[in-house]
Amino acid sequence: MEIKAEMVANVWKVLVTEGTTVQADEELAILESMKMEIPVVAETGGVITRLAVAEGDTVNEGDLIAVVSAE
């Protein structure tokens, strides 16, 4: 499952790495936009098979943040 940005924002913090096993609703990263912190969460549990952002990156609406594959 692809996790995509819902708005233009800066990647403030990345909380996982590729290969990390995550649960549904677990935070993967925190975005910052207009001084607000927006958590990015896994919609389903699985393994992070691709992490497409790093701290300090800027993302646009629809940009890929991560891919979570079912275990």
Side-chain angles (χ1 to χ4, degrees), residues 5 16 18 26 28 35 37 40 42-45 50-51 54-55 59 61-62 64 66-67 69-70:
V16 296
E18 287 184 9
E26 185 172 337
L28 308 178
K35 299 186 181 182
E37 294 179 8
V40 176
E43 295 177 21
T44 61
R50 180 168 179 218
L51 188 59
E55 292 179 9
V59 293
E61 183 176 349
L64 181 67
V67 176
S69 295

Side-chain angles (χ1 to χ4, degrees), residues 24-64:
D25 298 321
E26 185 172 337
E27 289 187 0
L28 308 178
I30 300 174
L31 305 181
E32 183 274 326
S33 180
M34 300 185 333
K35 299 186 181 182
M36 294 185 342
E37 294 179 8
I38 302 108
V40 176
V41 298
E43 295 177 21
T44 61
V47 176
I48 303 294
T49 55
R50 180 168 179 218
L51 188 59
V53 298
E55 292 179 9
D57 287 353
T58 299
V59 293
N60 292 302
E61 183 176 349
D63 284 357
L64 181 67

